Amino acid sequence: MFDFGLRIRQLRESRNMSQEELGRRVGRSKPVISNYENNIKFPPLEVLISIANVFNVSLDYLVGHRKERCTLH
């Protein structure tokens, strides 16, 4: 089973980014990012798009429809 929160955490940690920094970049607070990473809440589409842009990955990769990372150009 796919773990959306884990995907975000792995992407964030691979870039040595804090939850607070990711939150600033996508217009959300640190506790909200924590909720996403712990699968308590799921972000709305506009936030998903922002997260994908921050990490330069496709939405398909971010939400688990692709296993390989597709970077955007």
Side-chain angles (χ1 to χ4, degrees):
M1 183 171 180
F2 176 72
D3 187 332
F4 173 74
L6 179 61
R7 175 71 44 97
I8 292 177
R9 179 177 286 129
Q10 289 171 335
L11 286 166
R12 181 179 60 74
E13 289 177 348
S14 73
R15 287 162 176 80
N16 297 313
M17 185 183 297
S18 68
Q19 288 179 337
E20 186 174 1
E21 182 179 350
L22 177 57
R24 273 195 311 269
R25 291 175 141 201
V26 300
R28 295 294 187 261
S29 67
K30 178 184 175 186
V32 170
I33 299 300
S34 178
N35 285 338
Y36 296 161
E37 289 186 0
N38 290 301
N39 295 306
I40 295 169
K41 291 186 176 183
F42 193 79
L45 180 58
E46 66 271 8
V47 176
L48 282 173
I49 292 168
S50 293
I51 292 170
N53 286 335
V54 165
F55 296 123
N56 196 34
V57 297
S58 70
L59 281 175
D60 283 344
Y61 177 77
L62 188 62
V63 300
H65 288 287
R66 286 182 165 249
K67 292 184 181 191
E68 68 278 354
R69 187 181 299 184
C70 293
T71 58
L72 306 174
H73 300 283

